[in-house]
Amino acid sequence: MEKLSNFILKVLSILTVVAQIFCGIAGASVIFANVAVLFVSGEAATELKKYVLQPSNLSKGMLELSGLNALLILVSIIFALHALRKIINNIAQSDFFVESNVNNMKLMMGSVVIFILGNVLSMMFFSFGNGRNLSSIFSNSWGQIGSYLILLAIIYMLYLVFKYGFELQHDSDTVI
């Protein structure tokens, strides 16, 4: 059973690294697209206006702001995955109730809060632009935000468990 647990933890750790790499590539793509929009001119500017800006009532500035918001969302996901990977690696080494896990849970909570706020901003951008969703990555609905809040509540409960376990472990270590 221990070998299976170690295997699963290693796979989860690898998956978090792969997800971080994909989010990094997506973040670089968003940065490139935002910079490219700044320098669009000529026929490309006409196409941008015709197919992106006019149908969605977005200005070039709003498009850039939504791109920066997408970057904020991707960075928050990268930080959350980084914290998760550290927790997984600690658990694989049988370090359950250590200060590092408590701090990583705080980082994960903060990242998820930023992720939720970024999605709320994204919904506002899309509602300003007549609801035309430029991407199908996130559903951009209030129901989805409710799911994210449930995820945040679960992470907070896990944070409390790790914090309480760390305090008990610390008390136990100082008594002995």
mmCIF file of all heavy atoms in Angstrom, residues 57-89:
data_model
loop_
_atom_site.group_PDB
_atom_site.id
_atom_site.type_symbol
_atom_site.label_atom_id
_atom_site.label_comp_id
_atom_site.label_asym_id
_atom_site.label_seq_id
_atom_site.Cartn_x
_atom_site.Cartn_y
_atom_site.Cartn_z
ATOM 1 N N ASN A 57 -18.023 44.855 -28.752
ATOM 2 C CA ASN A 57 -18.039 46.206 -28.182
ATOM 3 C C ASN A 57 -16.871 46.453 -27.235
ATOM 4 O O ASN A 57 -17.004 47.167 -26.248
ATOM 5 C CB ASN A 57 -19.358 46.495 -27.456
ATOM 6 C CG ASN A 57 -20.492 46.725 -28.412
ATOM 7 O OD1 ASN A 57 -20.280 47.104 -29.560
ATOM 8 N ND2 ASN A 57 -21.707 46.488 -27.947
ATOM 9 N N LEU A 58 -15.754 45.842 -27.492
ATOM 10 C CA LEU A 58 -14.562 46.067 -26.678
ATOM 11 C C LEU A 58 -13.680 47.114 -27.347
ATOM 12 O O LEU A 58 -13.574 47.160 -28.565
ATOM 13 C CB LEU A 58 -13.751 44.772 -26.526
ATOM 14 C CG LEU A 58 -14.289 43.698 -25.606
ATOM 15 C CD1 LEU A 58 -13.374 42.481 -25.644
ATOM 16 C CD2 LEU A 58 -14.427 44.189 -24.183
ATOM 17 N N SER A 59 -13.063 47.910 -26.525
ATOM 18 C CA SER A 59 -12.051 48.821 -27.052
ATOM 19 C C SER A 59 -10.714 48.094 -27.015
ATOM 20 O O SER A 59 -10.579 47.044 -26.390
ATOM 21 C CB SER A 59 -11.985 50.093 -26.208
ATOM 22 O OG SER A 59 -11.507 49.782 -24.919
ATOM 23 N N LYS A 60 -9.738 48.664 -27.668
ATOM 24 C CA LYS A 60 -8.397 48.064 -27.659
ATOM 25 C C LYS A 60 -7.860 48.015 -26.222
ATOM 26 O O LYS A 60 -7.238 47.039 -25.813
ATOM 27 C CB LYS A 60 -7.486 48.891 -28.564
ATOM 28 C CG LYS A 60 -6.326 48.157 -29.127
ATOM 29 C CD LYS A 60 -5.647 49.023 -30.181
ATOM 30 C CE LYS A 60 -4.412 48.375 -30.710
ATOM 31 N NZ LYS A 60 -3.715 49.219 -31.669
ATOM 32 N N GLY A 61 -8.132 49.063 -25.454
ATOM 33 C CA GLY A 61 -7.690 49.098 -24.054
ATOM 34 C C GLY A 61 -8.347 48.021 -23.210
ATOM 35 O O GLY A 61 -7.698 47.400 -22.367
ATOM 36 N N MET A 62 -9.655 47.794 -23.428
ATOM 37 C CA MET A 62 -10.353 46.741 -22.683
ATOM 38 C C MET A 62 -9.815 45.363 -23.067
ATOM 39 O O MET A 62 -9.717 44.476 -22.225
ATOM 40 C CB MET A 62 -11.860 46.805 -22.944
ATOM 41 C CG MET A 62 -12.564 47.947 -22.249
ATOM 42 S SD MET A 62 -12.495 47.811 -20.462
ATOM 43 C CE MET A 62 -13.708 46.548 -20.206
ATOM 44 N N LEU A 63 -9.465 45.201 -24.329
ATOM 45 C CA LEU A 63 -8.881 43.936 -24.772
ATOM 46 C C LEU A 63 -7.542 43.703 -24.066
ATOM 47 O O LEU A 63 -7.261 42.599 -23.607
ATOM 48 C CB LEU A 63 -8.707 43.937 -26.291
ATOM 49 C CG LEU A 63 -8.215 42.634 -26.923
ATOM 50 C CD1 LEU A 63 -9.232 41.527 -26.699
ATOM 51 C CD2 LEU A 63 -7.968 42.829 -28.403
ATOM 52 N N GLU A 64 -6.747 44.747 -23.946
ATOM 53 C CA GLU A 64 -5.463 44.625 -23.250
ATOM 54 C C GLU A 64 -5.667 44.368 -21.760
ATOM 55 O O GLU A 64 -4.953 43.557 -21.166
ATOM 56 C CB GLU A 64 -4.637 45.882 -23.473
ATOM 57 C CG GLU A 64 -4.168 46.027 -24.906
ATOM 58 C CD GLU A 64 -3.634 47.409 -25.217
ATOM 59 O OE1 GLU A 64 -3.664 48.290 -24.338
ATOM 60 O OE2 GLU A 64 -3.180 47.607 -26.361
ATOM 61 N N LEU A 65 -6.650 45.042 -21.156
ATOM 62 C CA LEU A 65 -6.939 44.788 -19.743
ATOM 63 C C LEU A 65 -7.405 43.358 -19.509
ATOM 64 O O LEU A 65 -7.010 42.728 -18.525
ATOM 65 C CB LEU A 65 -7.999 45.768 -19.224
ATOM 66 C CG LEU A 65 -7.521 47.152 -18.859
ATOM 67 C CD1 LEU A 65 -8.703 48.038 -18.464
ATOM 68 C CD2 LEU A 65 -6.510 47.102 -17.732
ATOM 69 N N SER A 66 -8.224 42.847 -20.405
ATOM 70 C CA SER A 66 -8.658 41.463 -20.251
ATOM 71 C C SER A 66 -7.483 40.508 -20.450
ATOM 72 O O SER A 66 -7.422 39.453 -19.813
ATOM 73 C CB SER A 66 -9.806 41.135 -21.199
ATOM 74 O OG SER A 66 -9.408 41.237 -22.539
ATOM 75 N N GLY A 67 -6.527 40.868 -21.293
ATOM 76 C CA GLY A 67 -5.319 40.056 -21.452
ATOM 77 C C GLY A 67 -4.471 40.057 -20.193
ATOM 78 O O GLY A 67 -3.955 39.018 -19.773
ATOM 79 N N LEU A 68 -4.347 41.224 -19.566
ATOM 80 C CA LEU A 68 -3.613 41.301 -18.297
ATOM 81 C C LEU A 68 -4.331 40.510 -17.206
ATOM 82 O O LEU A 68 -3.693 39.869 -16.360
ATOM 83 C CB LEU A 68 -3.426 42.757 -17.874
ATOM 84 C CG LEU A 68 -2.453 43.564 -18.727
ATOM 85 C CD1 LEU A 68 -2.447 45.030 -18.292
ATOM 86 C CD2 LEU A 68 -1.058 42.977 -18.646
ATOM 87 N N ASN A 69 -5.657 40.548 -17.240
ATOM 88 C CA ASN A 69 -6.435 39.770 -16.284
ATOM 89 C C ASN A 69 -6.203 38.274 -16.501
ATOM 90 O O ASN A 69 -6.069 37.512 -15.541
ATOM 91 C CB ASN A 69 -7.921 40.122 -16.404
ATOM 92 C CG ASN A 69 -8.741 39.477 -15.325
ATOM 93 O OD1 ASN A 69 -8.420 39.576 -14.153
ATOM 94 N ND2 ASN A 69 -9.795 38.801 -15.723
ATOM 95 N N ALA A 70 -6.150 37.850 -17.760
ATOM 96 C CA ALA A 70 -5.863 36.447 -18.062
ATOM 97 C C ALA A 70 -4.485 36.058 -17.537
ATOM 98 O O ALA A 70 -4.299 34.965 -16.997
ATOM 99 C CB ALA A 70 -5.951 36.203 -19.567
ATOM 100 N N LEU A 71 -3.532 36.973 -17.668
ATOM 101 C CA LEU A 71 -2.188 36.714 -17.144
ATOM 102 C C LEU A 71 -2.219 36.580 -15.625
ATOM 103 O O LEU A 71 -1.572 35.694 -15.060
ATOM 104 C CB LEU A 71 -1.231 37.829 -17.577
ATOM 105 C CG LEU A 71 0.223 37.644 -17.220
ATOM 106 C CD1 LEU A 71 0.792 36.397 -17.894
ATOM 107 C CD2 LEU A 71 1.025 38.868 -17.615
ATOM 108 N N LEU A 72 -2.994 37.432 -14.957
ATOM 109 C CA LEU A 72 -3.151 37.348 -13.501
ATOM 110 C C LEU A 72 -3.726 35.991 -13.095
ATOM 111 O O LEU A 72 -3.243 35.362 -12.149
ATOM 112 C CB LEU A 72 -4.052 38.488 -13.014
ATOM 113 C CG LEU A 72 -4.398 38.480 -11.532
ATOM 114 C CD1 LEU A 72 -3.192 38.949 -10.721
ATOM 115 C CD2 LEU A 72 -5.600 39.351 -11.263
ATOM 116 N N ILE A 73 -4.724 35.537 -13.827
ATOM 117 C CA ILE A 73 -5.329 34.237 -13.536
ATOM 118 C C ILE A 73 -4.306 33.116 -13.716
ATOM 119 O O ILE A 73 -4.179 32.229 -12.866
ATOM 120 C CB ILE A 73 -6.568 34.005 -14.425
ATOM 121 C CG1 ILE A 73 -7.705 34.951 -14.013
ATOM 122 C CG2 ILE A 73 -7.030 32.557 -14.371
ATOM 123 C CD1 ILE A 73 -8.882 34.959 -14.964
ATOM 124 N N LEU A 74 -3.547 33.158 -14.804
ATOM 125 C CA LEU A 74 -2.553 32.108 -15.059
ATOM 126 C C LEU A 74 -1.448 32.108 -14.006
ATOM 127 O O LEU A 74 -1.019 31.049 -13.548
ATOM 128 C CB LEU A 74 -1.968 32.277 -16.460
ATOM 129 C CG LEU A 74 -2.916 31.927 -17.600
ATOM 130 C CD1 LEU A 74 -2.359 32.399 -18.925
ATOM 131 C CD2 LEU A 74 -3.176 30.430 -17.632
ATOM 132 N N VAL A 75 -0.996 33.288 -13.606
ATOM 133 C CA VAL A 75 0.052 33.365 -12.577
ATOM 134 C C VAL A 75 -0.472 32.823 -11.249
ATOM 135 O O VAL A 75 0.245 32.110 -10.534
ATOM 136 C CB VAL A 75 0.577 34.814 -12.449
ATOM 137 C CG1 VAL A 75 1.441 34.984 -11.219
ATOM 138 C CG2 VAL A 75 1.355 35.194 -13.704
ATOM 139 N N SER A 76 -1.720 33.131 -10.919
ATOM 140 C CA SER A 76 -2.274 32.610 -9.660
ATOM 141 C C SER A 76 -2.371 31.081 -9.703
ATOM 142 O O SER A 76 -2.116 30.416 -8.695
ATOM 143 C CB SER A 76 -3.634 33.242 -9.359
ATOM 144 O OG SER A 76 -4.611 32.821 -10.277
ATOM 145 N N ILE A 77 -2.701 30.533 -10.858
ATOM 146 C CA ILE A 77 -2.745 29.077 -10.990
ATOM 147 C C ILE A 77 -1.344 28.488 -10.828
ATOM 148 O O ILE A 77 -1.167 27.462 -10.153
ATOM 149 C CB ILE A 77 -3.353 28.668 -12.351
ATOM 150 C CG1 ILE A 77 -4.834 29.030 -12.404
ATOM 151 C CG2 ILE A 77 -3.171 27.179 -12.614
ATOM 152 C CD1 ILE A 77 -5.463 28.854 -13.776
ATOM 153 N N ILE A 78 -0.342 29.141 -11.411
ATOM 154 C CA ILE A 78 1.037 28.656 -11.285
ATOM 155 C C ILE A 78 1.470 28.640 -9.821
ATOM 156 O O ILE A 78 2.059 27.659 -9.346
ATOM 157 C CB ILE A 78 1.993 29.506 -12.147
ATOM 158 C CG1 ILE A 78 1.748 29.235 -13.632
ATOM 159 C CG2 ILE A 78 3.455 29.231 -11.784
ATOM 160 C CD1 ILE A 78 2.478 30.169 -14.572
ATOM 161 N N PHE A 79 1.166 29.704 -9.084
ATOM 162 C CA PHE A 79 1.537 29.745 -7.663
ATOM 163 C C PHE A 79 0.794 28.682 -6.862
ATOM 164 O O PHE A 79 1.380 28.041 -5.981
ATOM 165 C CB PHE A 79 1.282 31.137 -7.069
ATOM 166 C CG PHE A 79 2.390 32.105 -7.308
ATOM 167 C CD1 PHE A 79 2.241 33.147 -8.207
ATOM 168 C CD2 PHE A 79 3.595 31.985 -6.636
ATOM 169 C CE1 PHE A 79 3.270 34.045 -8.436
ATOM 170 C CE2 PHE A 79 4.632 32.872 -6.846
ATOM 171 C CZ PHE A 79 4.468 33.908 -7.747
ATOM 172 N N ALA A 80 -0.490 28.479 -7.141
ATOM 173 C CA ALA A 80 -1.256 27.452 -6.431
ATOM 174 C C ALA A 80 -0.686 26.060 -6.711
ATOM 175 O O ALA A 80 -0.543 25.239 -5.798
ATOM 176 C CB ALA A 80 -2.729 27.526 -6.823
ATOM 177 N N LEU A 81 -0.340 25.802 -7.963
ATOM 178 C CA LEU A 81 0.240 24.501 -8.318
ATOM 179 C C LEU A 81 1.613 24.305 -7.673
ATOM 180 O O LEU A 81 1.962 23.202 -7.258
ATOM 181 C CB LEU A 81 0.340 24.361 -9.837
ATOM 182 C CG LEU A 81 -0.972 24.162 -10.575
ATOM 183 C CD1 LEU A 81 -0.760 24.297 -12.079
ATOM 184 C CD2 LEU A 81 -1.589 22.821 -10.234
ATOM 185 N N HIS A 82 2.389 25.383 -7.601
ATOM 186 C CA HIS A 82 3.702 25.305 -6.961
ATOM 187 C C HIS A 82 3.552 24.937 -5.482
ATOM 188 O O HIS A 82 4.269 24.068 -4.969
ATOM 189 C CB HIS A 82 4.432 26.639 -7.119
ATOM 190 C CG HIS A 82 5.767 26.686 -6.451
ATOM 191 N ND1 HIS A 82 6.854 26.002 -6.944
ATOM 192 C CD2 HIS A 82 6.187 27.327 -5.333
ATOM 193 C CE1 HIS A 82 7.895 26.215 -6.155
ATOM 194 N NE2 HIS A 82 7.506 27.022 -5.173
ATOM 195 N N ALA A 83 2.609 25.589 -4.805
ATOM 196 C CA ALA A 83 2.371 25.283 -3.395
ATOM 197 C C ALA A 83 1.873 23.850 -3.228
ATOM 198 O O ALA A 83 2.310 23.139 -2.318
ATOM 199 C CB ALA A 83 1.363 26.274 -2.814
ATOM 200 N N LEU A 84 0.983 23.427 -4.111
ATOM 201 C CA LEU A 84 0.472 22.057 -4.051
ATOM 202 C C LEU A 84 1.595 21.049 -4.238
ATOM 203 O O LEU A 84 1.666 20.036 -3.527
ATOM 204 C CB LEU A 84 -0.616 21.859 -5.111
ATOM 205 C CG LEU A 84 -1.232 20.469 -5.188
ATOM 206 C CD1 LEU A 84 -1.923 20.115 -3.880
ATOM 207 C CD2 LEU A 84 -2.201 20.390 -6.363
ATOM 208 N N ARG A 85 2.480 21.311 -5.190
ATOM 209 C CA ARG A 85 3.605 20.384 -5.427
ATOM 210 C C ARG A 85 4.496 20.279 -4.192
ATOM 211 O O ARG A 85 4.935 19.189 -3.821
ATOM 212 C CB ARG A 85 4.425 20.825 -6.631
ATOM 213 C CG ARG A 85 5.552 19.843 -6.986
ATOM 214 C CD ARG A 85 6.248 20.210 -8.267
ATOM 215 N NE ARG A 85 6.708 21.581 -8.331
ATOM 216 C CZ ARG A 85 7.882 22.011 -7.833
ATOM 217 N NH1 ARG A 85 8.709 21.170 -7.260
ATOM 218 N NH2 ARG A 85 8.224 23.275 -7.945
ATOM 219 N N LYS A 86 4.753 21.401 -3.526
ATOM 220 C CA LYS A 86 5.565 21.358 -2.309
ATOM 221 C C LYS A 86 4.889 20.541 -1.214
ATOM 222 O O LYS A 86 5.547 19.779 -0.504
ATOM 223 C CB LYS A 86 5.852 22.773 -1.815
ATOM 224 C CG LYS A 86 6.900 23.499 -2.612
ATOM 225 C CD LYS A 86 7.203 24.833 -1.969
ATOM 226 C CE LYS A 86 8.447 25.447 -2.552
ATOM 227 N NZ LYS A 86 8.803 26.685 -1.843
ATOM 228 N N ILE A 87 3.576 20.690 -1.084
ATOM 229 C CA ILE A 87 2.846 19.914 -0.075
ATOM 230 C C ILE A 87 2.896 18.430 -0.422
ATOM 231 O O ILE A 87 3.136 17.582 0.454
ATOM 232 C CB ILE A 87 1.388 20.414 0.041
ATOM 233 C CG1 ILE A 87 1.362 21.821 0.642
ATOM 234 C CG2 ILE A 87 0.543 19.463 0.878
ATOM 235 C CD1 ILE A 87 0.021 22.509 0.571
ATOM 236 N N ILE A 88 2.691 18.105 -1.684
ATOM 237 C CA ILE A 88 2.742 16.705 -2.117
ATOM 238 C C ILE A 88 4.118 16.112 -1.836
ATOM 239 O O ILE A 88 4.239 14.989 -1.319
ATOM 240 C CB ILE A 88 2.395 16.585 -3.619
ATOM 241 C CG1 ILE A 88 0.911 16.883 -3.835
ATOM 242 C CG2 ILE A 88 2.748 15.208 -4.164
ATOM 243 C CD1 ILE A 88 0.527 17.044 -5.294
ATOM 244 N N ASN A 89 5.178 16.850 -2.138
ATOM 245 C CA ASN A 89 6.534 16.353 -1.888
ATOM 246 C C ASN A 89 6.793 16.175 -0.402
ATOM 247 O O ASN A 89 7.456 15.204 0.003
ATOM 248 C CB ASN A 89 7.566 17.289 -2.518
ATOM 249 C CG ASN A 89 7.548 17.231 -4.037
ATOM 250 O OD1 ASN A 89 7.024 16.301 -4.627
ATOM 251 N ND2 ASN A 89 8.100 18.254 -4.666
#
